[in-house]
Amino acid sequence: MSDRIFGGIGILIALIFAYQATIIQESFLSDAVGPKTFPLVIAAVMALASVYFLIKPDPEPSWPRAGRLAEIGLAALVMLAYAQLLPELGFLISTTLAASYLTWRLGTRPLQSAVVGLGTAIGIYVVFKLILGLSLASGPLGF
């Protein structure tokens, strides 16, 4: 039953996401693909994955214990904080902090998590900002 609820909520979110993608304002100077394509592809993949949960639910799902549920909730709060801090701290700092925390909670040592978080932030920054030329949030240090 819980998988079917999850699948239904997933389809609802995918529909909302697809609707939001269709109302994106397009510039007359956009490329052939346009800004709507990628969000619509994400919505389609999410809807298909959700349909799978509706059609073939797990007969006996095992729920995590209360401590694990709290960690999942805290990880979600970290992602919300990441979204809020991104414009203030910039991409590199906020991504380093979020990735470091999440990898630490996945089982790495704190120093190792900090290195992985920084490497993740720098790697994504190089690919998206320097190679692809996309705009990322600038922080107090200007990058």
Side-chain angles (χ1 to χ4, degrees), residues 3-73:
D3 282 358
R4 287 201 169 120
I5 293 170
F6 178 69
I9 291 171
I11 288 176
L12 181 65
I13 292 172
L15 289 172
I16 292 169
F17 197 77
Y19 170 72
Q20 292 294 322
T22 62
I23 61 174
I24 293 174
Q25 295 289 328
E26 290 191 48
S27 169
F28 68 94
L29 295 173
S30 67
D31 59 6
V33 176
K36 297 178 183 182
T37 304
F38 184 69
L40 287 172
V41 168
I42 297 295
V45 169
M46 184 175 184
L48 288 173
S50 297
V51 166
Y52 175 81
F53 284 109
L54 288 173
I55 294 172
K56 193 169 179 152
D58 188 358
E60 300 222 10
S62 60
W63 285 85
R65 297 177 194 228
R68 264 327 228 179
L69 281 175
E71 282 205 39
I72 293 169

Side-chain angles (χ1 to χ4, degrees), residues 75-90:
L77 287 176
V78 166
M79 295 309 296
L80 288 172
Y82 173 74
Q84 294 297 315
L85 293 174
L86 192 60
E88 305 299 323
L89 297 178

